[in-house]
Amino acid sequence: MKNIFKSSAVLLLTVTMILISACGNTDSGNKASSTNATGTEGATQTDKKITLGFAQVGAESGWRTANTKSIQDSAKAAGVDLKFSDAQQKQENQIKAIRSFIAQKVDVIAFSPVVESGWDTVLKEAKDAGIPVILTDRAVDSSDTSLYKSFLGSDFVEEGRRAGKWLLDEMKDHQGPVNIVELQGTTGSAPAIDRKKGFEEIIKNNPNLKIVKSQTGDFTRAKGKEVMEAFIKSAKAENTKMDVLYAHNDDMALGAIQALEEAGIKPGKDILIISMDGIKDAFQAMKDGKINLIVECNPLMGPQLMQIAQDVVAGKDVQKRILTNEGVFPQDTAEKELPNRQY
Ligand code: AHR
């Protein structure tokens, strides 16, 4: 009898302990509550609103403005509490913003790195704090890919190749040298490095195609104009012709077009213009005959980013690399395409 009592008491105690521990686990907030053998978190989530800290590059271009709007609008639509910071094209500002998101214990951090290198320390701080990081638009060159969960954005090397392929074809019957001037994006940024790489990889197939001048215009209209003015001046002094402008984004191309027109050079005719992004202003310029090719880069990644952020916080597996869909638009498509542009 005594033994039956003892066993019943042990059983009761065990059941009570299991119940207490189960109740404790229901309050897991919006964080994943389980971790599997590979270290990826299990898929338990409550309805709590997630907080996303987003460190944006800046407001350097029409593309960036569209990207920011897409992120802000989608956060609202998805019920995500967005903490937004503008780094004004400075890496140190982005690092500060990420550290502040860590201190505020946000659920997830996303950012578009101004430049490719120098992120390991702060990414490690986020990892140590248990806050997942999503890269959007631009990559980091870190060899430790466990420092971020996913990278959503364009294939910039492929964009450069697309520009190069069009030019290669355009110049297939051309005799003699083709002098290309290049307006690079922000020095050290993924799009500047990769768009140059992809373009060069293709144009080397025709020895007539040569990049004769190349300088950064920092992805801005003002800098694009300034650098093109300097190119025009030196071409005049050297008595050389510029046949093609390869601009790493539309804003620099539009600034350069202004400089060319002020110098009495007809953009799109006296000099071929290849640009990237596909903002409305550039399509208008292409419709007006001033740009010959636009390689699209899609900034409207807000809805996808919100989905990835929610999945990551819920502990779901997400793809490590998610590519955006993009097209190539030669001049004869401008009129038809212009009304469809969303940014
Ligand atoms: O990272 C994407 C690039 O950054 C866009 O091509 C450019 O316009 C922007 O500033």
Side-chain angles (χ1 to χ4, degrees):
M1 193 65 175
K2 214 176 163 187
N3 272 348
I4 292 174
F5 257 133
K6 212 172 160 189
S7 311
S8 306
V10 169
L11 189 69
L12 191 68
L13 192 66
T14 312
V15 169
T16 311
M17 281 176 74
I18 289 170
L19 281 173
I20 288 170
S21 115
C23 287
N25 275 348
T26 58
D27 189 23
S28 58
N30 56 347
K31 297 273 186 201
S33 63
S34 62
T35 303
N36 67 25
T38 58
T40 52
E41 293 151 329
T44 309
Q45 193 193 11
T46 70
D47 296 338
K48 199 188 130 201
K49 198 173 187 176
I50 70 160
T51 303
L52 163 69
F54 187 86
Q56 181 59 289
V57 170
E60 73 283 4
S61 63
W63 187 100
R64 188 64 57 196
T65 306
N67 181 247
T68 293
K69 188 174 181 314
S70 171
I71 288 161
Q72 289 173 334
D73 290 353
S74 321
K76 213 178 267 173
V80 168
D81 179 14
L82 178 70
K83 293 191 184 301
F84 184 89
S85 155
D86 176 340
Q88 297 175 351
Q89 294 247 69
K90 291 198 176 79
Q91 182 176 33
E92 66 263 31
N93 290 347
Q94 263 189 327
I95 292 176
K96 257 189 230 157
I98 294 170
R99 290 206 167 116
S100 140
F101 295 148
I102 297 171
Q104 292 172 66
K105 298 185 172 31
V106 298
D107 297 303
V108 51
I109 293 171
F111 79 115
S112 175
V114 178
V115 289
E116 264 191 356
S117 55
W119 297 103
D120 284 32
T121 307
V122 74
L123 289 180
K124 192 149 185 318
E125 288 168 26
K127 193 179 174 188
D128 291 346
I131 301 174
V133 172
I134 303 164
L135 303 178
T136 70
D137 162 36
R138 299 183 182 178
V140 296
D141 66 3
S142 172
S143 55
D144 182 358
T145 57
S146 77
L147 294 176
Y148 59 91
K149 292 279 180 193
S150 183
F151 168 31
L152 163 69
S154 313
D155 182 340
F156 296 131
V157 178
E158 187 51 36
E159 288 176 354
R161 285 190 196 117
R162 287 174 184 159
K165 279 176 193 161
W166 178 83
L167 188 61
L168 203 64
D169 188 53
E170 195 68 14
M171 293 296 166
K172 63 178 183 293
D173 300 322
H174 181 90
Q175 301 295 314
V178 177
N179 292 338
I180 304 165
V181 296
E182 181 183 33
L183 280 171
Q184 292 185 42
T186 303
T187 306
S189 70
I193 296 167
D194 293 352
R195 286 173 182 166
K196 184 171 185 53
K197 188 174 161 201
F199 184 73
E200 285 178 347
E201 180 191 308
I202 301 297
I203 62 158
K204 70 172 186 232
N205 293 307
N206 179 344
N208 281 333
L209 303 181
K210 286 245 157 58
I211 298 179
V212 292
K213 296 180 201 305
S214 181
Q215 217 174 293
T216 180
D218 214 10
F219 282 129
T220 69
R221 230 173 259 215
K223 213 55 201 309
K225 181 168 189 259
E226 193 185 305
V227 176
M228 189 42 129
E229 281 166 352
F231 284 172
I232 295 168
K233 214 169 155 193
S234 74
K236 261 191 197 154
E238 294 156 1
N239 200 22
T240 52
K241 190 175 178 293
M242 296 182 288
D243 301 301
V244 180
L245 164 66
Y246 172 45
H248 287 192
N249 84 342
D250 287 340
D251 285 82
M252 291 189 295
L254 291 166
I257 286 170
Q258 243 181 295
L260 288 163
E261 287 180 326
E262 282 171 17
I265 302 167
K266 286 196 184 84
K269 294 184 180 69
D270 298 338
I271 174 169
L272 295 183
I273 314 273
I274 300 173
S275 184
M276 305 220 151
D277 283 354
I279 61 171
K280 264 187 199 151
D281 286 0
F283 267 87
Q284 183 59 57
M286 190 155 81
K287 187 176 167 223
D288 298 341
K290 298 176 185 180
I291 291 182
N292 304 84
L293 180 81
I294 293 174
V295 176
E296 189 182 36
C297 180
N298 186 356
L300 308 177
M301 40 184 110
Q304 259 176 306
L305 174 61
M306 295 312 138
Q307 187 59 56
I308 301 165
Q310 283 169 328
D311 286 351
V312 158
V313 175
K316 291 183 187 162
D317 279 338
V318 291
Q319 281 176 50
K320 197 77 188 183
R321 180 72 172 101
I322 303 169
L323 282 171
T324 42
N325 279 336
E326 290 154 358
V328 176
F329 298 92
Q331 206 174 58
D332 59 0
T333 64
E335 188 156 3
K336 195 164 163 252
E337 184 56 23
L338 182 59
N340 304 330
R341 299 313 292 172
Q342 288 177 54
Y343 55 94

